[in-house]
Amino acid sequence: MERAGTDDEFDRRLEWIRLKSGSDFIAYAQPAGSSRRMGWDRILGGSNVRVRQMTIKPGVGLGGMVMRHGTVYTAHEGENPFMREECPVMLAEKLLSGMAFPVTTGHSTASSGILLLGRRDGRAYTKTEAAWIKSALSGRSACEPGKK
């Protein structure tokens, strides 16, 4: 996901992804300075100010699983249900389903950030939605979910 342009443009793109994916919550984290430490920099649809103060620890929560494994990670009643009670963001935001993605910039394959989406109604994210969100992150597609 390119961060070229203003923060307002970036927030508009995040909000577009949040709305088109039917998510209640979206947050973006990137490394803080030269360290690998990450915190939630951009939060839209959030109801708890504590999320902005949280740091991501490898293996803890949805963001931490993405940080550790470098791949998409989901949690809902049918998949990784324990994560709903172990993920600090899901707990703070009362999310019943969530999905987190590694975000890369440019041609690099290394993760430069993490995007987390969540729903409070518990509807699970589908593989089709995951593919659409992944393509929206890379900027390859402007299509809406479920459309080709």
Side-chain angles (χ1 to χ4, degrees):
M1 174 180 261
E2 296 292 327
R3 286 229 30 195
T6 67
D7 286 342
D8 287 343
E9 290 173 27
F10 188 69
D11 285 349
R12 278 195 294 275
R13 185 159 181 194
L14 290 177
E15 182 67 2
W16 181 80
I17 291 170
R18 184 182 76 81
L19 293 172
K20 294 295 182 185
S21 67
S23 299
D24 298 306
F25 175 87
I26 190 167
Y28 176 76
Q30 62 184 2
S34 61
S35 72
R36 284 198 41 153
R37 190 175 167 173
M38 294 179 120
W40 300 107
D41 299 326
R42 309 306 255 201
I43 300 167
L44 299 166
S47 61
N48 193 317
V49 295
R50 293 182 322 167
V51 174
R52 195 168 299 280
Q53 300 166 352
M54 294 177 184
T55 57
I56 302 169
K57 297 176 183 138
V60 178
L62 288 174
M65 294 304 285
V66 169
M67 182 184 274
R68 175 172 280 169
H69 300 289
T71 187
V72 176
Y73 197 85
T74 59
H76 54 83
E77 188 175 301
E79 184 177 356
N80 304 315
F82 62 90
M83 187 59 66
R84 297 186 309 167
E85 296 174 9
E86 293 179 8
C87 177
V89 175
M90 291 187 78
L91 283 171
E93 289 294 334
K94 297 177 177 58
L95 302 174
L96 298 177
S97 65
M99 180 180 296
F101 296 83
V103 178
T104 58
T105 57
H107 301 292
S108 171
T109 57
S111 178
S112 62
I114 297 171
L115 186 76
L116 187 149
L117 294 100
R119 293 177 175 154
R120 294 184 179 96
D121 64 9
R123 280 181 303 121
Y125 288 93
T126 66
K127 291 182 190 241
T128 302
E129 288 173 313
W132 172 81
I133 294 165
K134 202 169 188 177
S135 70
L137 289 175
S138 68
R140 288 192 305 256
S141 172
C143 296
E144 292 186 26
K147 294 186 179 178
K148 293 193 177 201

